[in-house]
């Protein structure tokens, strides 16, 4: 039985199920499998509910342990009995039920023999416990027959000291008392029924070791009992002297003292003048700094202690870093991936949840659950981002560069660039160090934008690219964007590969002679300008017409580059730098609209800070952005009569599909993510113009000007041709764990309707359509609605919103 969440063990079990909590570097469930195999039981069913994939990924089919594992997952909680009933097809003979999250060296063969001698239908393995208040007490008569149950009694109800260990030997027919998919427990429901029906049921009292790892105390006690040899399990290390077990690859510095019992796992490094006191367990690949000490503490793998750091009675999970001069005290636990800065003190009983950053000299007196964190999933919607020098610091960037370079061929190069901020430069340089350490080459095109980085990848035929930028609105937020060999953002599969390598520190490393020179390219933008000039087909017409254009961007570098190119192709260009003085973009746009109309300009352009997207204002003062911009550029592509296919995310208005049908052009539907959309376009060179319109703002403006000059029309003329459409976007906040439940209920509520499950849930009707899509980065739902008129669009949006709100409210009640 491996369905336990282990809530009382948190933060140890925040990111792993309870059966996967390590005991001397092995999941506790592995000890149960070893025990079963030792007693000739090789066919094992595993019942799971919480984070089942982690268990399955580790144990797989069981071949490594010479057993056969089959997995049974509960979609809804079924109780101890219900979960076993869920595996009934596996149970065709006498079977044993044993916990995956308790440690025992029970003589299973003797217990089974007792069961058979008594001709029992259900045998409960019992153990004497001096203080049985936290257990189910089972009372037996002199023959061992069960006569009464008491579930977690008070002292006034304690009539026996024999407690239920949760280990049962059962005959298959006892499960027939309940139907499948019904929630029931062995001790509360099944066994009382068997007792009432006078079915033979016995208690087998064992003297063998058994400990339910229910909380931090019992978890630590289990380790200490193994070191004291109170439990008969194999310790996979050499006992170099009595009570001191050390695995291979351990380095121990000068004047370091080891007081038995102590266990040190492989490849750990203990520096000079360290004191490892009794009952200390150090996991693999740990570093203990000079003058530090451990006492009755357990370190999991890949954790680092700085100098003069002292841990007493503490559990330190995977990938934790404790800096210098840190003190932690009894019954503390520090969750995976946390960073404790110099001088931190963690008082007794305080728990720190995973991925927390604790600032210097902080005193922790209570649990730290909320706050800064860096998740296992490094990538957000389209990039890696976080606060400079906290979530994303030079060390992080170097590792990230190594992880990315580890998945590409060593004989290739990666394009790297950043914007004009010094903070971006620091992160870029760290990424370069990480890349070069793997033997992969780097072409540094210096300060530029992401669109030019993508162009450089194609220009140099590189295998990928990285661009670093700072959010102009949040100056301490850095973004790192990764591209593949086509210049498109990497897909989710590649992101997962990078995340896995990053989280495991599993990087390729090269010899000194294989570290390549950095190829530095100054003024690469001139190649980009030249390429844009080559792509203009109507240069003479543009110079004759001299379109009057006002351009703006919050990024001066992007605006200045656009100015150079537009001026060079013959436009009458002016720049508006006032955008930086506005906190509200809508107020700024109102001012820009007035400038365009009052000065009789052909159109205005607002370029995004990364040079990727563009907002247009036509001569009549109409703002063309988002969906309207996509319709505009689709119309231009169709009129150019070059496109045989158009790619569109399925969140786009249906009017685009109607336009493509008129021009007999195929539409390719893709998921809404940046990467999916871009990669779908770049699979076919004939769709390259669509890529420029959507992901290269300056080139897009040049293409639009070229089209207008060729057809001797103004932007407002083509905007006049855009059909009316009624489209609403909305967001509804939720809890993270609401997402799956709400989506499931929306599907069930609309079973009889026309629904699509391409991504999220799309509900089609004769009035229009609506789509609910869980956000990948935030705790919210995105709602997209389109109607045949504005009234219907609003009606569909309100109806779906109210259904979601009601589902969320039901949980709160």
């Amino acid at each position: 039985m491996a369905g336990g969440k282990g809530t009382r063990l948190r933060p140890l079990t925040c990111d792993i199920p309870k059966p996967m909590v390590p005991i001397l570097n092995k999941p506790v469930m592995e000890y149960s499998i070893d025990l079963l195999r030792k007693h000739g039981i090789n066919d094992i069913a595993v019942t799971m509910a919480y984070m089942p994939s982690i268990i399955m990924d580790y144990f797989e089919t069981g071949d490594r342990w010479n057993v056969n594992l089959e997995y049974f997952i509960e979609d809804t909680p079924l109780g101890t009995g219900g979960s076993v009933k869920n595996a009934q097809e596996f149970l065709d003979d006498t079977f044993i039920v044993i916990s995956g999250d308790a440690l025992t060296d029970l003589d299973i063969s003797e217990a089974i023999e007792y069961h058979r001698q008594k001709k029992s239908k259900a045998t409960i393995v019992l153990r004497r416990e001096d203080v049985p208040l936290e257990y189910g007490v089972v009372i037996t008569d002199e023959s061992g027959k069960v006569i009464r149950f008491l579930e977690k009694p008070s002292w006034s109800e304690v009539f026996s000291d024999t407690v239920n260990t949760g280990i049962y030997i059962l005959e298959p027919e006892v499960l027939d008392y309940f139907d499948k998919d019904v929630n029931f427990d062995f001790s509360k429901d099944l066994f009382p029924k068997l007792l009432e029906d006078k079915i033979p049921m016995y208690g087998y009292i064992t003297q063998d070791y058994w400990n339910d790892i229910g909380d931090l105390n019992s978890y630590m006690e289990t380790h200490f009992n193994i070191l004291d040899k109170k439990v008969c399990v194999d310790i996979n290390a050499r006992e170099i002297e009595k009570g001191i077990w050390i695995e291979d690859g351990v380095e121990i510095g000068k004047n370091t003292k080891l007081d038995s019992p102590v266990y040190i796992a492989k490849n750990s490094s203990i520096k000079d003048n360290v004191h490892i006191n009794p009952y200390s367990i150090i996991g693999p690949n740990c570093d203990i700094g000079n003058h530090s000490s451990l006492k009755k503490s357990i370190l999991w793998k890949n954790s680092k202690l700085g100098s003069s750091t002292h841990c007493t009675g503490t559990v330190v999970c995977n990938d934790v870093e404790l800096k210098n001069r840190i003190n932690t005290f009894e019954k503390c636990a520090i969750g995976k991936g946390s960073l404790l800065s110099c001088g931190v003190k963690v008082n007794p009983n305080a728990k720190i949840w995973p991925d927390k950053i604790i600032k210097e000299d902080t005193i922790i007196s209570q649990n730290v659950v909320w706050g800064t964190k860096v998740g296992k999933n490094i990538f957000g919607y389209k990039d890696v981002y976080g606060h400079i020098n906290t979530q994303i610091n030079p060390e992080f960037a170097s590792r990230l560069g190594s992880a990315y370079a580890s998945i590409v061929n060593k004989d290739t190069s990666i394009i790297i660039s950043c914007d004009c901020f010094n903070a971006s430069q620091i992160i870029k340089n760290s990424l370069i160090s990480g890349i070069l350490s793997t033997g992969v080459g780097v072409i540094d095109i210096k300060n530029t934008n992401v669109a030019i980085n993508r162009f450089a990848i194609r220009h140099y035929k590189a295998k990928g690219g990285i661009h670093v930028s700072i959010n102009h609105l949040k100056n301490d937020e850095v973004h790192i964007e990764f591209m593949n060999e086509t210049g498109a953002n990497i897909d989710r599969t590649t992101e997962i590969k990078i995340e896995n390598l990053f989280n495991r520190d599993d990087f390729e490393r090269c010899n000194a002679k294989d570290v390549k020179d950095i190829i530095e390219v100054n003024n690469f933008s001139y190649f980009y300008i030249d390429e844009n000039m080559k792509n203009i087909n109507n240069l003479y017409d543009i110079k004759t017409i001299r379109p009057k254009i006002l351009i703006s961007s919050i990024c001066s570098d992007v605006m200045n580059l656009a100015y150079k190119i537009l001026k060079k192709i013959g436009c009458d260009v002016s720049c508006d730098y006032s955008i930086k003085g506005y906190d509200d973009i809508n107020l700024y746009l109102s001012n820009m609209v007035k400038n365009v109309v009052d000065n009789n300009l052909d159109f205005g352009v607002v370029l995004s800070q990364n040079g990727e997207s563009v907002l247009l204002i036509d001569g009549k003062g109409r703002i063309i952005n988002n969906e309207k911009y996509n319709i505009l550029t689709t119309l231009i592509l169709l009129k150019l009569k070059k496109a045989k296919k158009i790619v569109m995310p399925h969140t786009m208005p249906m009017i685009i599909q109607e336009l493509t049908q008129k021009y007999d052009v195929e539409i390719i539907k893709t998921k809404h993510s940046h990467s999916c959309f871009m990669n779908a376009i770049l699979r076919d060179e004939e769709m390259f113009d669509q890529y420029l319109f959507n992901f290269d703002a300056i080139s897009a403006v040049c293409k639009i000007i070229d089209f207008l000059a060729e057809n001797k029309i103004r932007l407002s003329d083509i905007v006049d041709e855009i059909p009316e459409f009624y489209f609403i976007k909305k967001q509804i906040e939720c809890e993270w764990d609401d997402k799956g439940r709400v989506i499931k209920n929306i599907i069930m509520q609309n079973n009889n309707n026309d629904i699509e499950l391409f991504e999220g849930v799309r509900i089609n009707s004769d009035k229009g359509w609506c789509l609910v899509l869980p956000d990948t980065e935030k705790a919210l739902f995105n709602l997209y609605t389109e109607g045949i008129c504005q009234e219907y669009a609003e009606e569909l949006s309100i109806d779906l919103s109210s259904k979601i709100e009601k589902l969320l409210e039901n949980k709160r009640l």
Side-chain angles (χ1 to χ4, degrees), residues 517-671:
D517 292 330
I518 302 172
I519 299 172
E520 295 184 340
V521 182
N522 294 307
N523 300 316
F524 180 78
S525 60
Y526 286 108
F527 293 104
Y528 177 76
I529 293 170
D530 186 57
E531 183 70 14
N532 273 283
M533 294 296 295
K534 288 177 184 175
N535 288 334
I536 298 292
N537 298 316
N538 302 281
L539 197 59
Y540 176 80
D541 294 327
I542 296 171
K543 289 185 175 182
T544 302
I545 297 167
R546 284 187 62 78
K548 294 179 181 178
I549 299 171
L550 176 66
I551 62 172
S552 175
S553 176
I554 201 165
C555 178
S556 300
D557 288 350
V558 169
M559 183 159 57
N560 292 337
L561 179 60
Y563 179 84
K564 283 181 187 177
I565 294 175
L566 296 179
K567 196 80 175 171
K568 197 164 186 176
I569 66 174
C571 297
D572 181 0
V573 192
S574 54
C575 295
D576 182 0
Y577 294 93
S578 68
I579 188 171
K580 292 182 181 179
Y582 287 82
D583 293 328
D584 187 336
I585 186 64
N586 292 316
L587 288 176
Y588 170 71
L589 289 176
S590 296
N591 183 61
M592 193 172 184
V593 164
K594 189 174 185 303
N595 279 346
V596 170
V597 174
D598 289 354
N599 293 294
N600 196 29
L601 303 180
D602 286 278
F603 60 93
V605 176
V606 181
L607 302 153
S608 64
Q609 68 173 66
N610 62 2
E612 189 171 79
S613 58
V614 62
L615 176 152
L616 303 174
I617 299 169
D618 75 359
K620 296 180 181 179
R622 291 173 293 190
I623 296 171
I624 303 102
N625 65 344
N626 301 327
E627 289 74 27
K628 199 163 189 176
Y629 175 80
N630 277 296
I631 296 168
L632 172 78
T633 54
T634 300
L635 199 53
I636 291 173
L637 287 167
L638 295 171
K639 285 177 174 291
L640 286 169
K641 297 183 179 178
K642 291 180 181 178
K644 295 179 181 176
K645 299 173 186 174
I646 296 285
V647 176
M648 274 297 148
H650 72 130
T651 54
M652 282 293 110
M654 289 295 290
I655 195 69
I656 291 179
Q657 191 164 337
E658 291 172 18
L659 286 171
T660 56
Q661 286 172 351
K662 285 181 183 176
Y663 284 83
D664 197 25
V665 169
E666 180 186 357
I667 193 159
I668 298 170
K669 184 171 69 172
T670 182
K671 293 182 178 179

Side-chain angles (χ1 to χ4, degrees), residues 421 470-477 554 579 582-583 609:
F421 283 81
I470 296 293
N471 187 327
H472 282 66
L473 300 176
K474 301 175 183 176
N475 287 337
D476 59 347
E477 187 176 274
I554 201 165
I579 188 171
Y582 287 82
D583 293 328
Q609 68 173 66

Side-chain angles (χ1 to χ4, degrees), residues 55 67 105 134 208 239 292 353 394 398 401 427 480 492 502 511-512 542 545 575 617 630 649 651 653 669 704 765:
I55 296 172
V67 297
D105 59 7
E134 291 300 315
D208 299 322
E239 192 173 8
S292 292
W353 258 238
S398 177
I427 299 303
I480 308 173
R492 183 59 190 143
F502 180 91
N511 297 322
I542 296 171
I545 297 167
C575 295
I617 299 169
N630 277 296
T651 54
K669 184 171 69 172
I704 291 168
S765 73

